[in-house]
């Protein structure tokens, strides 16, 4: 799931953090970057977002959180990893 483009994505997240952008900022539908990463199976990006303060349990407008989205997309390892990150 984490391909060669994930390194630049994590670098981009670093610059967003330095610019003061919130990791839990959301679109009109309530989805955050973590929701998108969970749906794409982007494990390293999701972990970095959580490290930067993204809330694993924050729901979108349909009431789904990143755990729900990862599970629905079949990314069970990512769901487990997010669950562990949320507990730490």
């Amino acid at each position: 799931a984490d391909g060669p483009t994930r390194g630049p994505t994590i670098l981009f997240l670093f610059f967003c953090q330095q610019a003061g952008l919130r990791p839990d900022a959301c679109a009109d539908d309530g989805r955050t970057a973590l929701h998108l990463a969970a749906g794409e199976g982007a494990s390293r990006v999701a972990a970095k977002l959580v490290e930067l303060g993204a809330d694993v349990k924050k729901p979108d407008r349909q009431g789904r959180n990143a755990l729900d989205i990862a599970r629905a997309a079949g990314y069970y390892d990512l769901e487990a990893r997010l669950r562990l990150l949320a507990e730490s």
Side-chain angles (χ1 to χ4, degrees):
D2 281 318
T5 62
R6 300 299 185 218
T9 302
I10 290 175
L11 184 61
F12 174 74
L13 292 174
F14 170 78
F15 286 118
C16 287
Q17 178 196 27
Q18 295 302 308
L21 298 176
R22 298 181 337 240
D24 269 341
C26 58
D28 292 339
D29 59 4
R31 291 185 304 159
T32 66
L34 183 56
H35 290 120
L36 299 175
E40 294 294 322
S43 183
R44 288 186 293 170
V45 172
K48 185 64 175 177
L49 285 163
V50 172
E51 178 185 318
L52 295 174
D55 181 358
V56 171
K57 296 182 180 180
K58 182 176 182 169
D60 63 12
R61 286 211 175 153
Q62 294 179 352
R64 302 173 306 166
N65 63 36
L67 299 168
D68 301 326
I69 293 169
R71 183 175 45 256
Y75 296 114
Y76 305 112
D77 289 344
L78 175 54
E79 177 193 7
R81 184 175 186 188
L82 288 172
R83 193 172 303 284
L84 287 173
L85 289 169
E87 294 170 358
S88 58

